[in-house]
C-alpha cells in the first residue's frame, strides 16, 4: 500500500500530461519488480527462499520512499539503482531455483535493465526516456509470444561463467495461487482509495455533503471490487480463469491496477472539492481512469472461453458495458458544470449498471459466471 499511496501523489492537483506520463512510468516499474518476486514465489512454492522475498520487500520499500523525490529530481538516481539491484536479485533467485518461466522471461532476461544502468549517469528528461526504453524492452519480451519463447529457450540452455550448462527447467504458473496474489494487489489498491476517503473525512467538518460524497465513493469501490474480484480473475473485471496466457493476464492486471490507483487519486480530489465543482484535471483523472477500466472489462469479456462455456451474448455484453463507458466519458468531456457530488454519484450509477448485469443473471450450475 505504501507504494501505491506514493504513486497516487503524482496525480494530485489536476496533473499535466508530463506528470501522468511519469505516473505511468513509475507504476510500471514498481509493478514489474513486484511481479518478478511474486511469480518467483508462485513457481517455486515452498522452495522460495525467505531472504530473497525479504530483499524484494526491502527494495520495494526503498522504491516507494524515493517516489516523492523523483518528480523534483532528488531521488531519481536512488530509484534507478534500487530498480537495477532488484532486477539482478530476482535474476539470481530464478537461476538458483533451476526453473524458467516462458510467460515471464524477464525474471532472467537482463537486456531491459541496460537502459536503467545507463540512466544512473544521465540527468534531465533523458533519464526518463531511458527508463521507458528499458520497460518497453521488457514488455516486448513478455507480450510477444515468439520473443517470449525464444528468450525462455535461450535462457534455459545458457551456460554460466564456468562454462557449465544451466539446463533450467521450463515451468508453469499455479493459476489459483497467482490469481490470489493478483487479487490481493487489487485489494491493496482499492484500500488506498478507502484511505483517501478516510483522510478527508478525518480532517473535515461532517455535514450532509461529506456523508453523501463518502457514501458514493464507497459504493463505487464496492462495485469495482465486485466486478474485479467476484466477476473477474486476478483483479481483472470479466476475465475468466485460464482463458488467456499468463503473460497477457499479467499485462491486463498491470493496466487495471494502474487505472485503479489513478481512480484513488480522483476520489481524493472529489472529496476535497465536495462543496463545489471538481477541477477539470481532477475530473479527468477520475472519469478517464474509470473509462479505461470499462475498456478493460469489454476486452476481457470478449475473450473466447472454454468450449464448455456458453458463447458470448453480444447484445447483453454491449448493453451491460457500453452505457457505463459512454457515461463516464461524457462526464469527463461535458461535466465541467456539474457539482462534484453529482459526478461521483453518476459514476456509481455507471459501475452499478455494469454490475447489475451480473447480479440479475443467475449463475448456471456447474459453470463459471459467463458473459
Amino acid at each position: 500500500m505504501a507504494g501505491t499511496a506514493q504513486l497516487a501523489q503524482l496525480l494530485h492537483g489536476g496533473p499535466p500530461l508530463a506528470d501522468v506520463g511519469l505516473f505511468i512510468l513509475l507504476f510500471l516499474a514498481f509493478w514489474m519488480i513486484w511481479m518478478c518476486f511474486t511469480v518467483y514465489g508462485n513457481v517455486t512454492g515452498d522452495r522460495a527462499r525467505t531472504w530473497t522475498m525479504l530483499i524484494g520487500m526491502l527494495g520495494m520499500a526503498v522504491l516507494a520512499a524515493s517516489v516523492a523525490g523523483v518528480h523534483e529530481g532528488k531521488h531519481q538516481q536512488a530509484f534507478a539503482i534500487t530498480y537495477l539491484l532488484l532486477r539482478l536479485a530476482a535474476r539470481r533467485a530464478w537461476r538458483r531455483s533451476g526453473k524458467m518461466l516462458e510467460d515471464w522471461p524477464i525474471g532472467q532476461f537482463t537486456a531491459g535493465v541496460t537502459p536503467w544502468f545507463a540512466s544512473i549517469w544521465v540527468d534531465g528528461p533523458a533519464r526518463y526516456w531511458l527508463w521507458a526504453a528499458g520497460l518497453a524492452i521488457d514488455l516486448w519480451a513478455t507480450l510477444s509470444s515468439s520473443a517470449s519463447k525464444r528468450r525462455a529457450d535461450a535462457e534455459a540452455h545458457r551456460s554460466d561463467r564456468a562454462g557449465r550448462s544451466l539446463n533450467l527447467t521450463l515451468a508453469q504458473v499455479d493459476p489459483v495461487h497467482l490469481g490470489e496474489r493478483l487479487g490481493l494487489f487489487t485489494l491493496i489498491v482499492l484500500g488506498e482509495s478507502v484511505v483517501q476517503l478516510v483522510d478527508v473525512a478525518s480532517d473535515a467538518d461532517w455535514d450532509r455533503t461529506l456523508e453523501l460524497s463518502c457514501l458514493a465513493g464507497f459504493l463505487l469501490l464496492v462495485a469495482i471490487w465486485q466486478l474485479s474480484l467476484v466477476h473477474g480473475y486476478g483483479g481483472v473485471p470479466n476475465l475468466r480463469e485460464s482463458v488467456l496466457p499468463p503473460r497477457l493476464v499479467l499485462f491486463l492486471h498491470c493496466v487495471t491496477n494502474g487505472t485503479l490507483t489513478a481512480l484513488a487519486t480522483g476520489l481524493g480530489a472529489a472529496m476535497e472539492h465536495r462543496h463545489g465543482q471538481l477541477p477539470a484535471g481532477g475530473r479527468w483523472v477520475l472519469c478517464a481512469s474509470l473509462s479505461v477500466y470499462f475498456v478493460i472489462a469489454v476486452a476481457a469479456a470478449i475473450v473466447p472461453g472454454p468450449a464448455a462455456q456458453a458463447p458470448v451474448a453480444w447484445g447483453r455484453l454491449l448493453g451491460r458495458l457500453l452505457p457505463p463507458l459512454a457515461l463516464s466519458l461524457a462526464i469527463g468531456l461535458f461535466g465541467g458544470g456539474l457539482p462534484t457530488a453529482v459526478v461521483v454519484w453518476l459514476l456509481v450509477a455507471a459501475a452499478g449498471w455494469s454490475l447489475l448485469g451480473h447480479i440479475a443473471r443467475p449463475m448456471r450450475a456447474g459453470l463459471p459466471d459467463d458473459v
Side-chain angles (χ1 to χ4, degrees):
M1 181 175 290
T4 57
Q6 291 298 318
L7 290 167
Q9 296 292 328
L10 297 173
L11 298 179
H12 280 181
L17 288 179
D19 287 353
V20 174
L22 181 59
F23 164 79
I24 295 173
L25 187 66
L26 297 186
F27 180 87
L28 185 56
F30 194 92
W31 178 88
M32 196 79 72
I33 291 296
W34 180 79
M35 192 55 62
C36 282
F37 288 93
T38 296
V39 176
Y40 163 76
N42 174 269
V43 171
T44 57
D46 294 338
R47 295 178 60 245
R49 297 201 174 193
T50 302
W51 278 108
T52 297
M53 306 305 291
L54 290 175
I55 289 172
M57 293 172 59
L58 175 61
M60 292 187 70
V62 176
L63 287 180
S66 62
V67 166
V70 168
H71 188 276
E72 293 80 13
K74 293 188 297 184
H75 300 150
Q76 293 178 0
Q77 194 173 56
F79 190 93
I81 293 174
T82 304
Y83 179 89
L84 177 64
L85 292 176
L86 286 173
R87 285 292 303 274
L88 294 177
R91 180 175 184 265
R92 180 178 177 82
W94 273 104
R95 286 181 175 275
R96 192 188 300 115
S97 72
K99 296 181 181 295
M100 180 70 206
L101 186 62
E102 180 180 324
D103 282 298
W104 193 253
I106 65 170
Q108 293 169 313
F109 174 50
T110 55
V113 305
T114 303
W116 287 82
F117 182 77
S119 73
I120 296 174
W121 292 276
V122 175
D123 292 323
R127 175 172 282 163
Y128 296 143
W129 286 109
L130 286 171
W131 292 358
L135 293 172
I137 292 172
D138 287 333
L139 287 176
W140 172 79
T142 301
L143 295 178
S144 172
S145 177
S146 58
S148 179
K149 188 177 188 306
R150 289 197 305 269
R151 175 55 54 186
D153 290 341
E155 290 288 350
H157 297 92
R158 190 171 178 176
S159 299
D160 61 16
R161 292 182 179 179
R164 296 170 298 186
S165 178
L166 294 175
N167 291 325
L168 302 176
T169 303
L170 290 178
Q172 301 293 327
V173 298
D174 178 352
V176 175
H177 178 266
L178 182 63
E180 292 176 352
R181 296 296 91 190
L182 299 181
L184 177 60
F185 190 99
T186 302
L187 283 175
I188 292 174
V189 173
L190 292 175
E192 171 56 27
S193 299
V194 176
V195 170
Q196 295 277 353
L197 301 180
V198 172
D199 284 345
V200 173
S202 63
D203 294 332
D205 295 329
W206 290 14
D207 55 19
R208 183 60 58 85
T209 300
L210 175 65
E211 294 166 357
L212 291 176
S213 298
C214 287
L215 176 61
F218 181 75
L219 291 177
L220 178 60
L221 296 176
V222 169
I224 291 174
W225 164 72
Q226 286 268 351
L227 291 169
S228 299
L229 299 174
V230 178
H231 304 293
Y233 169 71
V236 180
N238 292 329
L239 184 64
R240 290 156 288 183
E241 183 180 351
S242 302
V243 172
L244 290 175
R247 62 179 178 276
L248 297 182
V249 173
L250 297 181
F251 176 73
L252 287 176
H253 177 268
C254 176
V255 179
T256 299
N257 285 276
T259 61
L260 294 182
T261 302
L263 182 71
T265 303
L267 278 178
M271 296 305 106
E272 292 173 357
H273 296 86
R274 60 192 176 278
H275 290 294
Q277 296 176 349
L278 190 58
R283 188 180 75 254
W284 263 113
V285 168
L286 186 60
C287 296
S289 58
L290 193 61
S291 298
V292 173
Y293 180 83
F294 284 125
V295 169
I296 297 170
V298 172
I302 64 178
V303 175
Q309 195 173 45
V312 173
W314 286 101
R316 183 182 299 158
L317 169 66
L318 297 179
R320 176 156 52 87
L321 295 178
L322 290 187
L325 174 59
L327 178 58
S328 56
L329 285 174
I331 297 172
L333 287 169
F334 310 112
L338 294 175
T340 298
V342 173
V343 169
V344 180
W345 277 106
L346 286 174
L347 295 181
V348 172
W353 179 271
S354 180
L355 182 60
L356 185 63
H358 286 288
I359 298 175
R361 187 183 68 260
M363 185 180 298
R364 296 179 60 185
L367 292 177
D369 188 19
D370 57 72
V371 177

